[in-house]
Structure formats: structure tokens, C-alpha cells
Amino acid sequence: MKMKTESKPEKRPEMAKQSPSERRSNFEEVALGYNSYEAVAEAKRCLNCKKPPCIEGCPVGVDIPRFIRQIAEEDFDSAALTLKSTNSLPAICGRVCPQETQCEAVCVLGKGGKGDPIAIGGLERFVADYELESGVTAPDLPAPTGRSVAVVGAGPAGLTAAAELAKMGHAVTVFESLHAAGGVLVYGIPEFRLPKSIVAAEVDFIRRLGVDMRMNAVIGKIGTVDELLSRYDAVFLGTGAGLPSFLGIDGENLNGVYSANEFLTRVNLMKAYLFPEFDTPVKKGRRTIVVGGGNVAMDAARCALRLGAGEVTIVYRRGEDELPARAEEVLNAKEEGIIFRLLTNPIRILGDENNWVTGMECINMELCEPDESGRCRPVPVPDTEHTIPADVVVIAIGTSPNPLVSMTTPDLETGRYGTIVADETGATSKPGVFAGGDIVTGSATVISAMGAGKVAAKAIDEYVRGAVRL
Amino acid sequence: MPFTILKKRELVPTIHQVDVAAPRVAEKAMPGQFVILRIDECGERIPLTIADFDAADGTVTLIFQEIGKTTRQLASLGAGDSIADLAGPLGCASSIERFGTVVCVGGGVGIAPIFPIARGLMEAGNKVISIIGARSADILFWEERMEEASSELYVTTDDGTKGHHGFVTDIVQKVIESGEQVDRVIAIGPPVMMRAVAGVTKPFGVKTVVSLNPIMVDGTGMCGACRVLVGGVTKFACVDGPEFDAHEVDFTLLMSRLAMYLPEEKEALDYEAAAEPAV
Ligand SMILES: Cc1cc2nc3c(=O)[nH]c(=O)nc-3n(C[C@H](O)[C@H](O)[C@H](O)COP(=O)(O)OP(=O)(O)OC[C@H]3O[C@@H](n4cnc5c(N)ncnc54)[C@H](O)[C@@H]3O)c2cc1C
Ligand code: SF4
Ligand code: FES
């Protein structure tokens, strides 16, 4: 039942959201998802292009027009199967992928500014949620190959590698240092953007593929990569970029100053927003400053607001156009009332005699002319020092790879910032050891980590099938 | 997979010992390392130093004092109960070498973690002079164990109910001044005690190591909750420590950071009390 292009609406249905005034005081999901009526209508806008650019825009190559056609045909079960055959974590990706720079950016319908690109992310989420609600069926697995793989880290990279390898018939064991699987998905990204029940359900699906998940297992401490290699045919390292950076300015060890990782881990993984029902506390703050302009900073600021801070300020040293966060998240933050102090740089954090934060001294910045590399460096404007009062400060200026694994694996080549060096198949300098995700690239995205896990799974499959067992 | 408590007893009032079945941790544990545990789904993650471990039995012994909500809850568990999560062994192991003569100081609940270190140092061929102290005789524990793990053992109590009437530092000072060639001092206990020991040994230039116990969350270097200042440089105690050069540690910062959640701790206990049925 093909419709004519011209008759199609140009706009996508707007996804329902909690209103800003309501959501700024709860941790429930902000975006509410499409209902089936909206999803089918949106799916029907798809042109089902012959050479669909959207697939190429997707880092894991989901067959987008196919699953969208299945939605249009109201065959949601098949749509789910299509999605799951290439993407093990669709309910997560539908929510947190930056589709506006990936598949949706290249969608034919969005070209030339005539209309909206298909809401691919929204549709992906719709199908994945439909499947979770109606009960997920684990696919039939091939006969066991007799090969075994150890996966270190249960973030998107590790989980994807594990799922793919299990689907190939290998025995997979995941070692995760925290008590829950998901990596950044459980400790970093807040509940209101990605409900933890969704992550748990997707992780459960991977368990049902036969993957053995061992929590509380810190590799580098409970065992080394070499020990894993003596028990498994190959090892995949997906340990992420979890080491928080600090500014290196005075006052960073004052009480009330957090790394974004600590603040978000307390709030999300440990559920400090439900304190004292949950045991982990977090300083709620009356005035919170978040330093940084990325997604992490937006998440921290929006968490601080929901914890009850009356005033939450983002301090970022460059301008609006340079904010690395997704436009949607910046908009959400603004709608919720978060104050943006752009072109502002912290000089030092101020405290009282009991070591508690009282505020932050900042200086205004301006962007100079771009240099040869095309980048504008922010430079301080003399005599613009000023103080912003605060009782909680969150430093969200980035992370680097955790050295626990590389430190205990001397023959693993590492890069400049402690990343693990891997080729395009994920192979590292150490035979039998593969790596992917933030540990290789530095902080990136959920989907790129998943893509790396997937590519590495293929290479690992070849490797273990070819490997001579000792 | 939950971790089963095999044995549990109250050593002295408010100080408890639990032996937990954790074969993988027990196999790898070294003196000076710690674990992070979480009792249940609602629990917080707290670090406890490994007081003993038995690779053959697959057990890890933890000793803790009832202070906040979590330690009280842990104290209420018994043999057969289990805790949801236990990750370890974390942190760097204590350096166990043949130093010569080592003074091991354990204060209060710090006697527990000093024990495997003293034992290790003895096994490595050191002369181990141990000094253990408590507020009062009735809360002093593991005297016999420490006796076995030491060449000489001194006991102090603040109130004079046992051993030397006074502080562990008095004995540290005495030992050093006695002309004994002390090559190393290692002290574990409340921050005030560790700071005092550092103060005593500094003028003599005796290398002194303390084990720091800041608030932690993950214990793997991921959050920075455990930041301590050592020689003017910020370190993460969970991965860079927990042992540091006592003469370089900023104890004032450590103590103020330890006090960060006192109001919340009280709130948690009040909440707990309100939730319990009145008897
Ligand atoms: C707050 C926040 C918000 C973000 N928002 C988005 C978003 O909206 N969209 C998006 O696409 N991306 C987002 N990102 C980035 C994205 O989450 C990461 O790029 C992605 O999670 C990387 O996946 P990974 O599997 O490589 O690593 P991680 O997710 O970091 O997972 C690594 C896992 O390995 C474990 N581990 C580490 N060391 C060891 C060890 N020695 N032994 C055992 N286990 C170990 C860790 O505990 C962790 O569970 C966000 C990141 C943060 C921090
Ligand atoms: S590019 Fe857009 S219109 Fe074309 S198939 Fe992909 S989603 Fe449909
Ligand atoms: S406890 Fe989180 S970094 Fe040390």
C-alpha cells in the first residue's frame, strides 16, 4: 500500500513530554514516547528509499526503512525482530542516540529544509518499548562452538560484543566491576532520560542469550588479562573512559565539590534521589554550579535541579555555539530553568573555615579569532573576575580511561591519554585481546561503543575459530 | 550472586567480625587491601579493610564498628544471611619486605587491618613491634592474634583499664627513644591517632605509613569521592592507596571530608528508627 510522496505530511508528530514545571521536580522520564497511532502515522511518512542514506548514517547499520515499513504495516513484532537483528539495545539507543547527527541528519525527507526527517529515534524507541511490554522472545541460538570469550566491562561496548558473540554460539562471560551491568547507562545517564528498568530489561535479554554476567569483578584486581587469556580463547576490553578529570584549581577538595561521575553515580546508580529510603546520600545544595558544557554537564545540572537546588548554573568557558551537548538536552535544560553562564571560566573554588564550598570565582572569557587549526580559543577578559555563590559544585569537564587494566597488562599498547590502541577490527597489540568503545576512542557515544563491540565480535569470532587451542 | 556470611560474632561491644564466603577475593587478597560491599538493593557501597583472608577456605574476614546505618544493619545480620555485593580485593597491597624492625600500630577498630600486615611482616623476617590501643579494655580485641603476629606487643588504653595508661603514641615514642633502630612505622586507626603517630615519628625521620579510610563509592578510581591530599597532590585513596606516607598526608582535609555526610547519616538513622515498629 504505497502512498504518493506529495500527499505526505512534512512534519513529524511532536513527542509528548512532561511539562518543564512538572518535570523539574521529579526523576520520571521526560520524553513520553509515541503511541501506536503516532508511530504508524510517522512511519507512513517514510519514502522507503531505494538507496537509503539513513542506514549509512547509523553506526551499526540498522535496516531502518525495513523496520519503519513494518511499523507502517502495524507489524510491530517483525519490526522488533528487524531492529534486534542488528542492535541489541534498541530501547536504549532510541532514547540516547544523537540521531540528529546520524541517521536523521541524512534522511532524505529532511534535506533542503522542506520538512522534518523521519523520527527514526522515536520510532526505534516505540518498537523497542512495545517489545519490552509484550514480552521479549530470545532468538534461537546456534549450536555451541566450544569457544569461550571473556568480556571486561558491561557498558554498551561490552554488552554488544557479548550479545553478538553469544549469538554466534560462543560461551561468553562478562566481568563488570560495579554491582550492576550497563556502564554509563546505569551510573551516568539519569533516570529521567533513560529509565534504569529499560537498561535492566535489555541486559536481561543479553543474559537470556546465555551470557554469564559476573558483577563485582574488577579486572586488574581479581584477576589480570593474562589470567583471563589462560582460561578463555579471547578477551574483549570495553572498560570505558571512567576516570574523572578535575580542573586543577584551588578548592577542588572542598566538601560539596564533586566530579560529575561521583555526583551522577550517587544519584543514578545508588539512587540518592530516593534517600533516605535508599542509603546513599548526596548533597542537595541550594545553589549548584556545574562546570562544563557537554551532555554530562546537562545531566548533572538537571539532576541537581530535581534534587531540589533552587538555582543551578552551568559555567562553560566557550559560547552557545560551542556547547558540545546535544541541542535537545540544552533546550531541555533551559526549559527547566537552568542558568547558563557562557564564556565564563572558573579560577578557584571558595570555601569556609569548615572546608565547605561557598562559591566559585570566575572570569569572563572571549573567543579570539580562529587559529590555523580553525579553533577559537577562549581567552580571559582582564578585570572581569566575579564570584558566583554555591554550596555544591560539580566538575563535568571530561573523563579519561581508567588505567586499572592497562597497568596490569604490560604488553598492551596504550595511546596518549591512556586509551588502548586497537585497529579497525578491535584487535590490540596483544594477541587474543580486543578492545572497543570509550577505552579506545576516549569519551564518545553509546552507539559508537556498540558499533565497536559489534565489529570486534566479528573479529573475535574469526580469531577463536581459527585459534589453535593449547 | 550474593555473598554468604559464614560466621558472625560481636568481638567486643559494637565491634563485629564477619567471615564472608568470597573465594575469588580470598584467593587474591593481600594485606592492606580492602573490599567494597553493599548489603542489599537499597544499600550504599562502603569500604572495609580486609582483616584476614583464607584462600583455602575461601573466606574473607571483615571487622567493623557500628557507626552509621550500614554498619548497624551489617551488625544485625548473622551466619547464613547474605550480602548482595562484595567487590575486591581493592587498593594497593601493603608493601611487605624485609625492612628490619617495623613498628605496627593499631588503634581501635584499626587493630583488625594491622593484623595481616604484622603477620606478613613477621613472615618476611622483620622484627615486628606491635602497639595496639583502645579507649578501654572492654573494647580491645585480637590481643592474642596480635601477640602471635608480633615479636613484641604493647597494649595501651586511654583509661588505663589495661596495659599502658595512655595513648599508642606514648609507646611509639618510647620505642624509638629506647635506641631501637626502627626502620618503618605503620599505623592504622582513627585519623587523629594516625596524625599523632605521624607527629611523633617525624622528628626522628622514621618512614611512617598510614592507611586512609576516606568516603568511597566505587573503589576503582571512577568517582574521586576518596580524594586525599598527599604532599600537596590530590590522590584517589582507593587506587593510589589506601596507604600513604604519613608525613605527607593532609589529615585536616581527611577529617573534614569524613564529616561530609554527618547530617545525612543522622537522617538515615532517624528514618530507620521511625520505620521500625515500636516495641
Ligand atoms: C552522564 C553521561 C551522559 C551521556 N549521555 C550520552 C547520550 O545521551 N548519548 C550517547 O550516545 N552517549 C552518551 N554518553 C556517552 C556514552 O555513555 C559512552 O560513550 C558509552 O557508554 C561508552 O560505552 P563503553 O561500553 O565504551 O564504556 P562504559 O559505558 O563506560 O562502560 C564501561 C564498563 O566497564 C566497567 N569497567 C571499567 N573498568 C573495569 C575493570 N577493570 N574490570 C571490570 N569492569 C570494568 C565499568 O564499570 C563500566 O561498567 C554519556 C556519558 C555520560 C558519562
Ligand atoms: S532516509 Fe528517511 S525517508 Fe529514506 S528510508 Fe531512511 S528514514 Fe525513510
Ligand atoms: S572511591 Fe571512587 S574513585 Fe575512589
Side-chain angles (χ1 to χ4, degrees):
Chain A
M1 43 156 236
K2 271 222 140 57
M3 272 206 246
K4 285 219 190 70
T5 323
E6 320 62 274
S7 67
K8 297 193 178 196
E10 287 175 354
K11 294 270 163 227
R12 55 167 71 169
E14 206 171 308
M15 190 181 286
K17 276 200 216 173
Q18 276 197 73
S19 75
S21 60
E22 194 183 351
R23 73 187 193 234
R24 67 200 298 279
S25 54
N26 71 52
F27 274 81
E28 275 141 51
E29 202 168 9
V30 169
L32 302 173
Y34 287 139
N35 59 33
S36 58
Y37 175 77
E38 291 162 332
V40 171
E42 176 64 359
K44 285 185 172 156
R45 281 204 312 131
C46 176
L47 304 174
N48 214 338
C49 303
K50 268 224 181 62
K51 280 207 322 260
C54 53
I55 301 186
E56 262 155 57
C58 173
V60 297
V62 166
D63 191 343
I64 294 167
R66 185 180 160 93
F67 95 80
I68 292 184
R69 192 174 62 241
Q70 290 161 329
I71 297 177
E73 289 161 0
E74 300 190 26
D75 183 0
F76 305 145
D77 293 299
S78 302
L81 280 180
T82 303
L83 260 179
K84 275 271 172 79
S85 67
T86 34
N87 183 338
S88 303
L89 310 168
I92 293 166
C93 290
R95 287 173 165 83
V96 304
C97 274
Q99 289 98 6
E100 68 281 4
T101 61
Q102 301 178 157
C103 53
E104 292 180 13
V106 291
C107 171
V108 171
L109 282 174
K111 289 273 130 101
K114 294 190 302 289
D116 290 341
I118 293 283
I120 301 172
L123 292 178
E124 179 178 29
R125 168 179 170 174
F126 166 77
V127 174
D129 286 359
Y130 164 85
E131 196 203 17
L132 287 179
E133 247 166 61
S134 55
V136 185
T137 40
D140 295 332
L141 294 173
T145 59
R147 303 298 190 201
S148 61
V149 183
V151 170
V152 184
L159 289 174
T160 305
E164 295 298 317
L165 288 162
K167 285 195 240 169
M168 295 165 180
H170 305 304
V172 185
T173 310
V174 175
F175 297 89
E176 165 57 46
S177 62
L178 291 172
H179 58 259
V184 169
L185 306 175
V186 286
Y187 77 70
I189 303 182
E191 178 78 17
F192 56 82
R193 254 192 337 116
L194 178 63
K196 299 310 144 213
S197 57
I198 299 277
V199 182
E202 305 228 286
V203 168
D204 189 50
F205 171 78
I206 295 172
R207 272 207 186 90
R208 282 163 57 194
L209 296 173
V211 173
D212 181 9
M213 303 250 193
R214 304 224 181 123
M215 300 299 113
N216 303 307
V218 185
I219 300 304
K221 290 290 173 189
I222 192 94
T224 59
V225 169
D226 284 304
E227 283 169 286
L228 291 176
L229 274 177
S230 68
R231 283 187 282 136
Y232 299 86
D233 296 310
V235 174
F236 176 79
L237 301 172
T239 47
L243 199 75
S245 305
F246 285 91
L247 292 157
I249 58 174
D250 275 355
E252 261 181 321
N253 293 330
L254 288 164
N255 285 356
V257 180
Y258 291 100
S259 73
N261 266 6
E262 181 186 355
F263 187 72
L264 291 169
T265 299
R266 285 180 178 274
V267 174
N268 301 315
L269 178 68
M270 306 310 297
K271 300 217 172 342
Y273 64 94
L274 298 175
F275 179 86
E277 191 187 331
F278 280 69
D279 294 343
T280 306
V282 69
K283 287 291 165 193
K284 298 189 155 72
R286 278 174 295 124
R287 295 198 189 98
T288 299
I289 294 176
V290 177
V291 181
N295 285 323
V296 182
M298 300 305 137
D299 283 345
R302 296 173 70 200
C303 282
L305 191 78
R306 284 161 172 78
L307 289 171
E311 190 180 293
V312 180
T313 308
I314 294 234
V315 167
Y316 178 59
R317 64 193 181 125
R318 298 175 195 267
E320 176 101 29
D321 292 341
E322 287 79 25
L323 280 171
R326 288 178 71 183
E328 183 189 335
E329 300 307 334
V330 174
L331 178 71
N332 277 331
K334 283 189 174 162
E335 278 178 4
E336 287 165 14
I338 285 164
I339 302 161
F340 282 72
R341 291 241 198 168
L342 304 173
L343 291 166
T344 305
N345 205 30
I347 303 173
R348 61 196 174 108
I349 304 172
L350 309 166
D352 65 15
E353 64 287 357
N354 296 320
N355 201 48
W356 278 97
V357 174
T358 56
M360 197 164 73
E361 193 180 316
C362 296
I363 190 162
N364 293 347
M365 307 292 278
E366 63 188 352
L367 290 178
C368 64
E369 293 294 309
D371 57 15
E372 301 92 81
S373 70
R375 245 172 106 71
C376 306
R377 282 192 56 79
V379 289
V381 183
D383 304 322
T384 58
E385 290 87 350
H386 57 280
T387 298
I388 309 174
D391 48 7
V392 169
V393 171
V394 181
I395 313 291
I397 55 161
T399 54
S400 58
N402 192 320
L404 270 184
V405 167
S406 46
M407 256 169 23
T408 50
T409 321
D411 46 347
L412 198 61
E413 195 190 326
T414 52
R416 256 221 296 172
Y417 300 100
T419 50
I420 292 176
V421 177
D423 67 15
E424 64 284 358
T425 69
T428 68
S429 60
K430 194 174 165 71
V433 179
F434 298 76
D438 283 4
I439 183 68
V440 171
T441 57
S443 305
T445 59
V446 171
I447 193 71
S448 60
M450 289 179 60
K454 204 169 162 168
V455 168
K458 226 180 239 151
I460 292 171
D461 180 52
E462 273 166 37
Y463 175 83
V464 296
R465 283 179 200 275
V468 189
R469 287 194 99 172
L470 298 177
Chain B
M1 251 180 296
F3 296 79
T4 310
I5 297 176
L6 300 175
K7 255 196 242 153
K8 152 80 203 309
R9 64 194 196 96
E10 187 161 15
L11 291 176
V12 291
T14 75
I15 296 182
H16 304 259
Q17 169 177 347
V18 287
D19 293 359
V20 185
R24 292 200 176 88
V25 182
E27 191 191 316
K28 293 285 174 178
M30 309 262 258
Q33 290 188 296
F34 64 94
V35 296
I36 292 238
L37 65 80
R38 189 180 73 129
I39 299 178
D40 58 27
E41 281 312 305
C42 298
E44 60 183 332
R45 294 170 63 100
I46 61 156
L48 289 175
T49 311
I50 300 172
D52 202 356
F53 47 90
D54 186 331
D57 284 359
T59 57
V60 172
T61 299
L62 306 172
I63 301 222
F64 59 93
Q65 185 155 27
E66 280 179 62
I67 301 168
K69 158 96 201 308
T70 302
T71 44
R72 287 197 196 187
Q73 192 184 346
L74 196 57
S76 74
L77 301 179
D81 289 337
S82 60
I83 49 181
D85 300 291
L86 184 119
L90 300 171
C92 301
S94 195
S95 60
I96 305 277
E97 286 168 40
R98 187 163 182 159
F99 296 109
T101 299
V102 184
V103 172
C104 291
V105 186
V109 74
I111 297 169
I114 205 77
F115 163 71
I117 296 173
R119 183 179 57 191
L121 288 167
M122 276 286 273
E123 283 165 5
N126 293 282
K127 175 176 180 187
V128 175
I129 302 174
S130 295
I131 306 163
I132 58 173
R135 224 170 43 246
S136 182
D138 62 343
I139 49 168
L140 189 81
F141 64 94
W142 277 17
E143 198 181 330
E144 280 145 53
R145 276 192 179 218
M146 283 304 292
E147 188 122 37
E148 273 169 41
S150 318
S151 321
E152 283 169 34
L153 177 70
Y154 295 87
V155 172
T156 72
T157 49
D158 301 3
D159 63 0
T161 42
K162 183 154 207 177
H164 168 76
H165 184 167
F167 300 118
V168 288
T169 39
D170 304 341
I171 309 284
V172 176
Q173 176 119 19
K174 210 180 84 186
V175 169
I176 297 178
E177 282 176 347
S178 74
E180 176 89 46
Q181 162 70 37
V182 176
D183 299 291
R184 192 179 178 89
V185 173
I186 168 148
I188 309 183
V192 267
M193 182 209 93
M194 294 192 286
R195 180 170 64 181
V197 170
V200 167
T201 60
K202 188 153 189 195
F204 297 96
V206 178
K207 167 83 181 178
T208 304
V209 169
V210 286
S211 176
L212 305 186
N213 57 340
I215 294 170
M216 293 188 186
V217 182
D218 60 299
T220 65
M222 182 266 264
C223 74
C226 61
R227 324 205 267 296
V228 290
L229 206 58
V230 183
V233 180
T234 297
K235 301 273 182 189
F236 287 6
C238 70
V239 283
D240 300 326
E243 290 182 6
F244 293 100
D245 182 340
H247 300 144
E248 300 284 337
V249 169
D250 183 337
F251 285 101
T252 312
L253 180 75
L254 175 72
M255 287 187 259
S256 71
R257 286 188 65 83
L258 278 168
M260 188 153 158
Y261 294 103
L262 289 182
E264 285 80 5
E265 248 163 60
K266 187 174 173 308
E267 196 184 336
L269 287 173
D270 291 348
Y271 175 82
E272 190 71 3
E276 261 161 34
V279 245

